[in-house]
C-alpha cells in the first residue's frame, strides 16, 4: 500500500510526500505471505525512492538509497543499473567501475563496457573529445549497451556530429 500511495502522490506532483511513502515502504513495510504481493516489492520501493529523490535534485540522496539497496538486494540487476547510471552522471568512474563488476557482463565484453563507462563519465564531466574516443571505441568494438548508445549519441550531438549520431540512434 505504501508503494501504491507513493505512486499516486508522485502522479499528483507531491514528490516530497511520495518520497516519504517510498521511504516508509522500504524501512517499515511488511510482506504478508498469505497475501499476494508483487515480486521484488522492496527493490521497487528503493528504486522509486531513488528516482523521486533524483527528480527533486537530491542526487547524493538518491545514490545513497541505491547503494544501500544494492547492498541489501545484490541480486537486483535493475538496482545495480540505476546505481551505475547515477555514478556515471556524477562522473565517479572508480565507483562506476566497481559497480560494473556487479553486473553479469561476459568477460570478452567487460573491457569494452568499462571503456564505455569511462567515456560516459568523461561525457558527464564535459570532456567531449576523450568521451567521444572511449565511446566510439566501445561502440565500434561491438558494445551496444544502452549506456554506450545513450552517451555516444549525446556526445555526438554535443560535438556537432549530427549525421554520425543517426546509426547510433538506429541501434
Amino acid at each position: 500500500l505504501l508503494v501504491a500511495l507513493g505512486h499516486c502522490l508522485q502522479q499528483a506532483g507531491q514528490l516530497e510526500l511520495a518520497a516519504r511513502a517510498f521511504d516508509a515502504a522500504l524501512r517499515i513495510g511488511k510482506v504478508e505471505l498469505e497475501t499476494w504481493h508483487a515480486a521484488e516489492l522492496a527493490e521497487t520501493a528503493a528504486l522509486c525512492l531513488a528516482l523521486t529523490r533524483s527528480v527533486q535534485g537530491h542526487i547524493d540522496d538518491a545514490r545513497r538509497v541505491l547503494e544501500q539497496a544494492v547492498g541489501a538486494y545484490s541480486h537486483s540487476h535493475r538496482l545495480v543499473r540505476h546505481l551505475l547510471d547515477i555514478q556515471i552522471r556524477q562522473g565517479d568512474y572508480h565507483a562506476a567501475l566497481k559497480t560494473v563488476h556487479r553486473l553479469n557482463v561476459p568477460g570478452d565484453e567487460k573491457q569494452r563496457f568499462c571503456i564505455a563507462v569511462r567515456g560516459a563519465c568523461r561525457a558527464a564531466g564535459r570532456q567531449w573529445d576523450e568521451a567521444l574516443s572511449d565511446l566510439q571505441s566501445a561502440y565500434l568494438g561491438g558494445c551496444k549497451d544502452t549506456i554506450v548508445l545513450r552517451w555516444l549519441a549525446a556526445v555526438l550531438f554535443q560535438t556537432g556530429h549530427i549525421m554520425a549520431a543517426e546509426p547510433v540512434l538506429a541501434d
Side-chain angles (χ1 to χ4, degrees):
L1 289 174
L2 289 167
V3 172
L5 175 63
H7 282 291
C8 289
L9 290 166
Q10 196 175 42
Q11 292 296 319
Q14 298 293 321
L15 296 180
E16 186 56 39
L17 292 174
R20 285 183 182 179
F22 293 135
D23 183 53
L26 192 56
R27 286 184 301 104
I28 62 173
K30 301 280 188 246
V31 174
E32 294 292 328
L33 296 178
E34 297 82 28
T35 307
W36 177 88
H37 285 89
E40 303 165 347
L41 195 57
E43 290 116 284
T44 300
L47 183 58
C48 290
L49 176 57
L51 290 172
T52 301
R53 288 296 187 207
S54 182
V55 168
Q56 290 175 302
H58 304 297
I59 304 298
D60 290 335
D61 193 30
R63 180 174 172 170
R64 180 190 52 75
V65 167
L66 288 171
E67 287 171 343
Q68 290 174 350
V70 165
Y73 309 103
S74 59
H75 63 278
S76 176
H77 181 77
R78 196 168 51 148
L79 288 172
V80 173
R81 291 294 295 210
H82 281 279
L83 175 58
L84 179 60
D85 185 57
I86 283 181
Q87 291 166 333
I88 288 170
R89 284 189 287 147
Q90 291 183 320
D92 191 348
Y93 174 64
H94 296 292
L97 196 58
K98 287 180 185 176
T99 301
V100 164
H101 295 295
R102 291 179 168 267
L103 296 171
N104 292 327
V105 178
D108 58 329
E109 294 176 26
K110 190 169 271 192
Q111 183 179 3
R112 287 187 300 271
F113 190 66
C114 289
I115 290 169
V117 167
R118 182 178 64 200
C121 287
R122 287 175 165 173
R126 298 181 180 272
Q127 299 171 342
W128 305 121
D129 293 335
E130 297 89 347
L132 184 58
S133 175
D134 285 342
L135 291 163
Q136 280 183 325
S137 173
Y139 179 72
L140 295 174
C143 187
K144 306 288 175 141
D145 187 88
T146 55
I147 287 173
V148 176
L149 300 175
R150 181 179 344 126
W151 284 98
L152 179 55
V155 170
L156 288 168
F157 279 114
Q158 186 64 39
T159 57
H161 298 97
I162 308 301
M163 297 302 288
E166 284 185 30
V168 176
L169 294 171
D171 280 339

